[in-house]
Amino acid sequence: MAQDDEVPQQQDAPRPPTGDELALRRRVSDLEREDVAERLREAAGEGRLSYTELEDRLETVYGAKTYGELIQITADLPNGLAVPNAAASTLTPQYVPGPATAPTMTVFMSEQKRQGPWTPPQRQEVNAVLGDVTLDYTEAHLPYDEIYIEVKSILADVKIRVPQNAIVHLDSNPVLGSVSEESAGFGGTVDPTTGPPKTFHIQGTAILGEIKIKRGPRLTKRLRLT
C-alpha cells in the first residue's frame, strides 16, 4: 500500500518589525544629534556628568546613526530621550520643533551665537554655565509680534540684542549677578526701523553671571564694517 506523499509544512512568515523596533532603527538627523548634545551639556552643568564623561558621550553622539543609539547614550539621565512606544509615530523624530519653539539652548564652557538673517523661534530657553551666548534679533526674520526668552546665566555672559524700536518687558532675578537693559550705543548710522515694534518678554536669572539686553544693531553694523 503506497504511502501518502508528505505534505510540506508551511513555514511561518517572518514577523514584521514592531513600531518600537522601527523607531529604534530609524536613522537620525544632525538636528537630533545636536538636541542630544545639548541635553548632555545641561546634565554636565547640573553636575550629573564629569567633563571627561561629557567629552566621551559627545563623541559618541556625533557618531550615532540610529535613534536607539541616542537613547542608550542618555538612558541614565533624567532629561534623556524617551523610549518609543507603538502608539507613537515611528517615522518621525522623537522631537520635532514646531514653528514657534526650539530645543533649550544649553551652553557649558563654550560659546554660541545666533545673529544675521536667521529665523528665531517664538519661545527660546537658554541655560548658560561658564559660557558666552549672543542672541541678535536685529537682522532676524520675526514672524511673531511677541517673542518670549527665558535665560539662566550661571557664571556666564549672555547678550540679547533687540531691534531699535522693540518693546521689552524684563523680569530679572540677579543672584550675585547682573541683569541690565542698555540703550543703543553711539557711533555710526542706524537704519530706520520699518514695521510695527515687536514685544520681547525676557525673564532673566543671573547667578554670578551677567545678562545684557541691548538695542539696535551692533557697532560693526552701524559703522558698515560688516
Side-chain angles (χ1 to χ4, degrees):
M1 181 175 178
Q3 294 182 349
D4 295 336
D5 294 337
E6 293 184 358
V7 179
Q9 294 183 351
Q10 184 177 4
Q11 295 183 349
D12 295 335
R15 179 181 62 84
T18 64
D20 291 359
E21 292 170 338
L22 287 175
L24 293 174
R25 296 177 192 174
R26 179 180 58 75
R27 296 182 72 89
V28 294
S29 66
D30 289 340
L31 178 62
E32 290 172 285
R33 293 187 189 94
E34 188 58 39
D35 179 31
V36 173
E38 290 187 356
R39 293 171 188 244
L40 293 175
R41 294 186 188 104
E42 181 179 351
E46 295 171 348
R48 302 181 190 277
L49 296 175
S50 68
Y51 184 69
T52 301
E53 289 174 319
L54 175 63
E55 283 189 322
D56 291 342
R57 295 200 189 194
L58 286 176
E59 183 177 353
T60 305
V61 163
Y62 290 117
K65 298 292 192 299
T66 66
Y67 186 71
E69 293 177 76
L70 295 183
I71 288 180
Q72 292 180 358
I73 295 170
T74 61
D76 59 346
L77 299 175
N79 63 344
L81 295 180
V83 177
N85 55 66
S89 171
T90 60
L91 299 179
T92 56
Q94 176 70 16
Y95 176 82
V96 180
T101 60
T104 299
M105 180 185 294
T106 302
V107 177
F108 175 66
M109 297 182 68
S110 59
E111 179 182 17
Q112 284 201 37
K113 291 184 178 182
R114 297 288 189 272
Q115 57 189 30
W118 63 301
T119 302
Q122 186 176 18
R123 297 178 181 271
Q124 178 68 68
E125 182 178 352
V126 177
N127 291 330
V129 180
L130 291 168
D132 193 350
V133 177
T134 299
L135 297 178
D136 189 340
Y137 291 86
T138 57
E139 297 178 80
H141 172 60
L142 298 173
Y144 320 106
D145 293 330
E146 299 190 68
I147 296 91
Y148 299 84
I149 307 170
E150 183 176 347
V151 180
K152 180 181 290 184
S153 170
I154 303 176
L155 291 167
D157 185 9
V158 178
K159 293 180 286 292
I160 301 172
R161 190 173 289 277
V162 300
Q164 182 74 29
N165 68 338
I167 300 170
V168 176
H169 297 294
L170 178 60
D171 181 8
S172 61
N173 181 29
V175 180
L176 297 176
S178 172
V179 181
S180 61
E181 181 179 355
E182 303 175 1
S183 60
F186 296 101
T189 303
V190 177
D191 293 331
T193 305
T194 60
K198 304 293 184 178
T199 301
F200 286 77
H201 302 271
I202 302 175
Q203 183 176 0
T205 299
I207 303 174
L208 293 170
E210 189 172 28
I211 301 173
K212 293 180 181 178
I213 295 90
K214 301 186 176 184
R215 289 182 177 273
R218 56 191 185 277
L219 181 60
T220 53
K221 278 292 179 181
R222 296 198 300 272
L223 297 177
R224 312 297 192 191
L225 298 179
T226 59

